[in-house]
Amino acid sequence: METKGKKDQEIGAVLLAKAHSADEVNRIFTEKVQQRPLYLTPNSPPPSDARAARRRAQAKKKEQRKKALKPKPLSATQRRKLGLYDVPREGQKYAVFEPLHNLWVGYIQEVLGNETYSSGDAPGAKLASADFHGAEVEVVRSGCVSRVGIKGIVIKDSKFAFEIITRKNRVKLVPKEGTVFRLEIPAPKQPVSSQVAAPAKEEQPESMVVEIHGEQFQFRSDDRASRKFRTHFSKIL
Amino acid sequence: MLSFQAPSVYQASKCYFTYGKMGHTDPRQPPSKSKPWTTVIGQDFVHRVDVIVPKEGYEAIWAALVKDRDAPKFEKVVMSLQDVLSGYFFTEYIKKGNIMMLSEGRIGIDNVFCLKDGVLTMYLDKETYERAGLVGKPHGVKGARGLKPRWVVEFALKGDSMSPGKKGFGRLVAASKNALSAPVTWLFSNLSDTDPVPDPLLQHAPTNHFAAPEISWKIETTVPPLQPTAKLMDSHSREDLECFSTELYEWLSLVRLESPRINHKDDIDPFLCRYRTPGSGDLTEIYKISWQGYLSSKWCRDTLVHLMANIPTKSSWFSFSTTSFSKAVAGDNAECTILRPPTSTGEYLMWEVKSHE
């Protein structure tokens, strides 16, 4: 620039002189250094005209309509507002869910089949992928001691908690974390035929007691069906 | 997590030495407010009591403490916690009576229950605590990454809220049926003077035990100086006072252990043991009376009062020591030793060893 002293000009020219002849030095210095074009930033955004604005508005509307057509699950706030998963007051009775429990007992006896009384991997895997809506559970061990002793029928099995209705018609939400639940599956009643004598009282097997570690069970019931359970070391034990 | 905690300086047991004056004691109104008495009463379950007297005091003391007094009685019984909390046992002994009970086990390792002054304290491990469902506090060393491996649960059973039918009591009873249902061996001692007439304890087949006094006769030994001089009590010579009190406590402990080293005729090779009785006193005969069993702090206080009332002359000295049941590590007991030197002014020296718990 003009305010550069003579000495600086000379430095540029001196450096160029090391590579070019004198005429070339003059030309290059004037064209490329002194008269260097200075690029300013372009105007942003480009000034819009009505047509471009209309085009943009139409594209946006089309996208929104496409999005609204895609089915999406309800968010937590929407669910709470709609109250879809609440059990109505009249329905919060233990007696209402007892038939569900009986259905569940039949279902689980079918699921377990012959292996009702063996312990090991096979009945464990079957139980793990079974559904627990309608099971009668009791909280047997918990990091939060006030939960111990809650007993009732499962009315909702969500990812992290069981919703249980107790005999006193109270609905309790019990988190699965750090909690151990116990279920009893009664023995399937054997059909009594006239030729075979009914088995004596001592020979009838007792009910099968299952303890579920809630920590390892924190999956939705539909996700659990296809899951392979591996043994994990639990930090609460 | 699996390794044992090395005891740090904050977890060591501490010994406190006190030198003071006792006022006159009236056997009918035993004192309970002043210094040596509060320590004696404030002890937990006492396991062993030792009384050391010289020959001059022995005859009278023997008559007062051994001949004319019944040996303290305690029972060993196998009951479950459910039996303790139900029926006549609960209403007669716990609600109306005054008993103390201690279950078998070591406090930091097994599940231990103890009942004293109507307060049931349960020391549980993590699984039992989580299964019981009772609210408690973490017990033991703090820290360890938030893992709380042991818990203490306390219930004041004498209160109105602890009656059948109330919610809190209902939870305790439910826990005693589920998680705490195993039968446990207890030491039982009835502290009140009368027993309830149809004794609810008899149905559990208790075995009776008596803490009969054992007497060690005529230990010939030199007694070290029992009185700290006025120079020692000066505030500048704290180390000398510490030295004096430690040596005297060491000698008293060796007498309690019936060690042959304090015997006058002991001639062990100095290579094996260099212990010498401090000071150069006269040769005297001393006698030791011990009671060992499940004793109460109230009985200890009464024994001390009888001892003081019956010691023949004011110039005879005595030493009274109690050891309580250990709480954490075996051997880590709380102790209390009171020595009355041969003066007539009622001075006493007291060593109180507190376990770190």
Side-chain angles (χ1 to χ4, degrees):
Chain A
M1 282 130 62
E2 297 86 19
T3 49
K4 263 199 188 154
K6 201 164 176 248
K7 217 169 177 187
D8 297 312
Q9 220 172 18
E10 279 185 12
I11 286 175
V14 161
L15 284 171
L16 279 171
K18 287 187 188 286
H20 301 281
S21 60
D23 294 329
E24 288 289 313
V25 164
N26 263 333
R27 185 184 65 85
I28 293 171
F29 194 70
T30 39
E31 278 180 22
K32 305 265 169 131
V33 178
Q34 280 178 328
Q35 293 164 4
R36 194 176 72 233
L38 199 60
Y39 295 106
L40 301 170
T41 56
N43 291 329
S44 58
S48 65
D49 53 347
R51 188 202 259 181
R54 263 180 280 132
R55 206 178 328 132
R56 258 183 281 121
Q58 265 190 344
K60 201 171 173 187
K61 244 205 276 183
K62 203 171 166 191
E63 207 189 307
Q64 273 183 341
R65 247 183 285 131
K66 252 176 72 176
K67 214 173 165 194
L69 283 173
K70 233 202 273 189
K72 263 199 292 226
L74 290 171
S75 72
T77 337
Q78 285 170 331
R79 235 186 301 152
R80 231 177 295 141
K81 234 195 269 184
L82 286 173
L84 286 175
Y85 293 97
D86 295 339
V87 179
R89 266 304 151 89
E90 317 81 54
Q92 281 181 11
K93 299 246 186 303
Y94 190 81
V96 166
F97 291 95
E98 270 185 350
L100 174 66
H101 174 60
N102 295 331
L103 268 178
W104 181 84
V105 167
Y107 154 75
I108 205 79
Q109 283 169 350
E110 237 179 75
V111 161
L112 285 174
N114 292 334
E115 294 158 348
T116 318
Y117 300 102
S118 55
S119 53
D121 288 338
K126 288 191 177 168
L127 276 171
S129 54
D131 184 43
F132 286 97
H133 287 92
E136 178 150 23
V137 296
E138 182 183 358
V139 177
V140 139
R141 173 179 171 173
S142 174
C144 170
V145 287
S146 58
R147 290 180 213 154
V148 173
I150 296 177
K151 182 170 181 170
I153 295 178
V154 173
I155 58 180
K156 179 167 163 212
D157 178 0
S158 69
K159 189 174 178 194
F160 295 113
F162 275 128
E163 208 161 291
I164 294 176
I165 181 160
T166 58
R167 226 166 245 277
K168 296 190 182 163
N169 300 333
R170 303 282 293 255
V171 174
K172 302 222 186 226
L173 185 71
V174 180
K176 290 180 186 171
E177 186 187 0
T179 315
V180 173
F181 300 92
R182 170 184 287 178
L183 320 167
E184 272 195 27
I185 304 166
K189 286 198 182 49
Q190 283 149 356
V192 179
S193 66
S194 50
Q195 285 108 353
V196 178
K201 268 259 156 71
E202 301 88 47
E203 283 173 18
Q204 268 174 10
E206 301 155 350
S207 49
M208 177 185 189
V209 173
V210 177
E211 283 199 357
I212 300 174
H213 291 268
E215 287 263 341
Q216 313 291 339
F217 221 58
Q218 284 171 343
F219 309 99
R220 288 186 314 185
S221 46
D222 22 348
D223 290 343
R224 239 189 299 132
S226 53
R227 188 182 167 82
K228 288 192 193 27
F229 279 90
R230 288 187 190 86
T231 42
H232 289 283
F233 286 110
S234 162
K235 73 170 177 154
I236 61 164
L237 292 178
Chain B
M1 184 173 81
L2 293 174
S3 63
F4 297 109
Q5 308 271 2
S8 70
V9 105
Y10 304 101
Q11 291 178 27
S13 7
K14 298 181 175 72
C15 179
Y16 297 93
F17 172 68
T18 315
Y19 175 71
K21 250 193 194 180
M22 278 196 282
H24 175 70
T25 53
D26 183 6
R28 278 161 302 176
Q29 271 190 335
S32 56
K33 290 277 169 66
S34 53
K35 190 63 192 301
W37 308 103
T38 50
T39 321
V40 173
I41 292 177
Q43 292 189 305
D44 259 346
F45 312 112
V46 176
H47 181 50
R48 196 186 158 94
V49 173
D50 294 313
V51 171
I52 303 172
V53 278
K55 195 170 82 169
E56 300 89 56
Y58 175 65
E59 291 293 316
I61 297 296
W62 180 80
L65 294 184
V66 178
K67 198 171 76 153
D68 296 337
R69 248 178 132 205
D70 294 331
K73 188 173 75 117
F74 61 97
E75 283 95 16
K76 219 183 247 191
V77 63
V78 178
M79 292 166 76
S80 69
L81 190 64
Q82 196 183 349
D83 297 330
V84 172
L85 295 173
S86 59
Y88 277 121
F89 189 92
F90 185 66
T91 47
E92 294 290 332
Y93 275 126
I94 296 183
K95 284 285 192 185
K96 290 192 220 164
N98 184 10
I99 61 165
M100 60 181 199
M101 289 174 80
L102 177 64
S103 81
E104 184 184 4
R106 295 158 295 179
I107 285 188
I109 303 170
D110 312 314
N111 294 339
V112 177
F113 313 125
C114 61
L115 179 66
K116 188 168 192 250
D117 299 333
V119 176
L120 173 68
T121 310
M122 300 190 272
Y123 298 89
L124 306 173
D125 65 343
K126 188 166 175 173
E127 167 152 15
T128 321
Y129 172 73
E130 289 186 348
R131 282 189 182 261
L134 303 167
V135 179
K137 294 189 177 146
H139 174 62
V141 182
K142 270 173 107 170
R145 292 190 172 270
L147 282 174
K148 296 178 182 118
R150 299 206 65 90
W151 295 80
V152 200
V153 182
E154 275 188 11
F155 276 97
L157 294 176
K158 285 222 188 228
D160 287 333
S161 60
M162 288 288 146
S163 334
K166 296 280 164 91
K167 218 161 66 158
F169 189 69
R171 278 192 81 87
L172 176 57
V173 170
S176 71
K177 287 184 185 147
N178 293 330
L180 307 170
S181 56
V184 164
T185 315
W186 299 78
L187 283 173
F188 171 93
S189 174
N190 188 4
L191 301 175
S192 60
D193 301 323
T194 55
D195 285 332
V197 170
D199 198 352
L201 191 63
L202 291 175
Q203 59 176 304
H204 302 287
T207 49
N208 291 326
H209 294 267
F210 292 90
E214 289 167 8
I215 306 171
S216 307
W217 307 86
K218 286 200 198 175
I219 308 169
E220 285 184 357
T221 178
T222 51
V223 177
L226 300 172
Q227 181 92 16
T229 58
K231 201 172 69 157
L232 269 181
M233 297 312 298
D234 207 3
S235 55
H236 298 299
S237 57
R238 194 209 155 93
E239 277 177 16
D240 295 334
L241 182 61
E242 211 175 298
C243 193
F244 166 80
S245 68
T246 314
E247 282 180 352
L248 189 49
Y249 190 58
E250 185 182 23
W251 181 78
L252 282 172
S253 307
L254 287 173
V255 174
R256 286 176 71 191
L257 290 170
E258 297 179 34
S259 158
R261 302 285 86 79
I262 51 150
N263 208 327
H264 175 69
K265 299 199 194 71
D266 181 51
D267 57 349
I268 192 160
D269 193 341
F271 188 77
L272 294 169
C273 177
R274 290 192 302 168
Y275 180 75
R276 295 282 175 271
T277 311
S280 52
D282 312 320
L283 189 63
T284 45
E285 284 175 357
I286 58 178
Y287 291 79
K288 176 173 86 91
I289 311 174
S290 331
W291 291 263
Q292 181 163 325
Y294 186 52
L295 310 167
S296 69
S297 54
K298 186 165 149 292
W299 182 87
C300 295
R301 193 225 11 219
D302 292 339
T303 309
L304 183 57
V305 169
H306 278 288
L307 183 57
M308 287 187 63
N310 287 294
I311 193 106
T313 52
K314 292 275 186 177
S315 60
S316 173
W317 60 272
F318 69 80
S319 156
F320 177 85
S321 323
T322 60
T323 308
S324 59
F325 283 84
S326 65
K327 275 202 144 167
V329 185
D332 184 22
N333 309 47
E335 286 191 6
C336 172
T337 304
I338 299 177
L339 169 72
R340 204 192 75 173
T343 57
S344 51
T345 47
E347 287 160 356
Y348 70 94
L349 289 81
M350 182 166 78
W351 291 263
E352 191 189 345
V353 177
K354 285 191 179 156
S355 64
H356 82 270
E357 281 274 313

